[in-house]
Amino acid sequence: MPTENGRPTLKERFTRGLDAPICLTWELTYACNLACVHCLSSSGRRDPRELTPAEARQIVDDLAAMKVFYVNIGGGEPMMRPDFFDLVGYAVDSKVGVKFSTNGTRLTAERARRLAAMDYLDVQVSLDGALASTNDAVRGEGSFAAARTAMDNLAAAGFGPFKISVVVTKENATQLDAFSAIAESYGAQLRLTRFRPSGRGVDSWEALHPTADQQRMLYHWLLEHPDVLTGDSFFHLSALGQPLDGLNLCGAGRVVCLIDPVGDVYACPFVIDQEFLAGNVRNAGGFAEVWQHSDLFTSLRQPQSAGACASCGSYDACQGGCMAAKFFTGLPLDGPDPECVFGHGEAALASREVRPRSEVGHSKVDPSGIRIPVPTPVRFRSPAHASR
């Protein structure tokens, strides 16, 4: 066991799990006015079992009692929940920091000013193309203009260094410098995340995930831009050589997890599936009971087998890659990451027998029962942004 002065290293302690997550993701609602093709929860329709305002406040109380540093709030579109500002205000007043992600369509100038007046708050505006054509192909027509208008509103309100969150795809991987320039123009911080094949991403991953060459390019670009945030989501690339900044391990059930809109707790935001369901906050003991005593989280905190990667000299660097990426591409959890930098994942994908489909589905449904994409009802008159 790695040690520092006879004690486990920080990475080892994180691997064993903590008494409380460093941070967690809380999806407030599945309601959304967009239909992004890579949406991890296939959001669109609000679930009628959604947590009540009182139940949501109880979660904040649990997190405050556990001294959770901050919570990532998402959705769906979190600002579609009627009590959004009440919940965020309650959290920050309880000294639970809030980072929330938004598509920007509801972030008006007035709401931007309201957000700028709050402490312990961070805002991430999602953008998946440095040009409208690239972004809107993934997020829906008009979504680029909506996101840029939201950024303008935050800047005008004096919010400070908000974040621009980008899911790296095959189509936007060549636009990293352009994303960086957009962030710099606002005094914002760029955050890149990995495209995982969960939710609607199960069906779009093969067409949109970065190529092997793009993965290598991304690795070197990140090394050259240490100020760009990644949330440790590209640790599979550390097998290429110098480790990327971060813990370089899967934190699912160890330091992170997900609470969904109905109170179910999953190992991470990208494995919303019964196999990775740890419990529900509505049960006795609330969130603390799930985090500290669920059988799933207990098992994830045990030493994991290197499996098919045991003979690879880079296993210590990449830890076998992302659990969600393996599961939703039909690979065994102790197998190689589907985007293994040495190509082992490609070979495994070629020989797989079963590819699971996401059981999550909150996309809009027409009267015939057929799931359809959510139209994007946003039209912004922003000619200055049309080509940005």
Side-chain angles (χ1 to χ4, degrees), residues 11 208 245:
K11 182 173 181 176
L208 285 179
D245 288 343

Side-chain angles (χ1 to χ4, degrees), residues 88-101:
V88 171
Y90 187 70
V92 298
D93 287 346
S94 301
K95 299 298 186 289
V96 176
V98 172
K99 177 189 296 181
F100 83 92
S101 299

Side-chain angles (χ1 to χ4, degrees), residues 27 38-43 75 198-201 258 269-270 272 358 360:
E27 308 287 18
H38 55 16
C39 178
L40 64 90
S41 59
S42 300
S43 286
S198 53
R200 280 195 287 268
L258 167 80
F270 303 100
I272 307 177
S358 175
V360 176

Side-chain angles (χ1 to χ4, degrees), residues 109-360:
E110 187 278 330
R111 288 173 175 169
R113 289 191 292 270
R114 190 171 178 181
L115 293 170
M118 303 175 77
D119 294 326
Y120 305 110
L121 180 67
D122 196 8
V123 180
Q124 293 187 162
V125 180
S126 296
L127 195 70
D128 289 324
L131 300 172
S133 57
T134 309
N135 178 86
D136 291 6
V138 172
R139 304 188 65 83
E141 183 182 353
S143 57
F144 181 85
R148 294 302 300 266
T149 298
M151 296 177 202
D152 289 344
N153 291 339
L154 288 170
F159 181 86
F162 60 88
K163 293 179 174 60
I164 299 174
S165 182
V166 177
V167 177
V168 181
T169 68
K170 182 186 299 183
E171 302 304 320
N172 67 24
T174 58
Q175 300 176 354
L176 299 182
D177 288 337
F179 282 122
S180 184
I182 292 173
E184 185 177 355
S185 73
Y186 285 106
Q189 191 163 23
L190 182 61
R191 183 177 188 269
L192 303 183
T193 59
R194 183 180 178 185
F195 179 16
R196 272 90 160 196
S198 53
R200 280 195 287 268
V202 169
D203 295 321
S204 57
W205 183 81
E206 290 190 1
L208 285 179
H209 78 95
T211 66
D213 286 342
Q214 288 175 332
Q215 298 270 357
R216 294 186 187 91
M217 177 273 296
L218 172 62
Y219 166 75
H220 292 291
W221 192 90
L222 288 172
L223 287 178
E224 294 168 1
H225 296 80
D227 56 324
V228 173
L229 303 177
T230 65
D232 217 17
S233 63
F234 297 104
F235 64 90
H236 68 296
L237 298 181
S238 288
L240 286 169
Q242 179 183 338
L244 297 174
D245 288 343
L247 291 172
N248 284 299
L249 60 80
C250 174
R254 299 178 175 113
V255 296
V256 299
C257 68
L258 167 80
I259 302 175
D260 83 351
V262 302
D264 283 338
V265 182
Y266 293 91
C268 95
F270 303 100
V271 287
I272 307 177
D273 185 275
Q274 286 295 312
E275 185 165 335
F276 303 99
L277 176 61
N280 189 286
V281 301
R282 284 172 162 148
N283 296 332
F287 174 72
E289 175 67 22
V290 179
W291 178 261
Q292 294 170 358
H293 301 294
S294 75
D295 292 340
L296 174 66
F297 289 172
T298 298
S299 67
L300 288 174
R301 293 163 189 168
Q302 301 303 311
Q304 303 296 309
S305 168
C309 299
S311 61
C312 179
S314 297
Y315 177 77
D316 287 344
C318 74
Q319 296 293 303
C322 174
M323 178 172 67
K326 299 178 196 182
F327 180 76
F328 285 116
T329 53
L331 299 183
L333 298 186
D334 63 352
D337 188 289
E339 294 178 312
C340 168
V341 297
F342 300 121
H344 301 310
E346 295 176 14
L349 288 172
S351 62
R352 65 186 167 179
E353 297 180 0
V354 178
R355 177 184 172 187
R357 295 186 62 82
S358 175
E359 62 186 38
V360 176

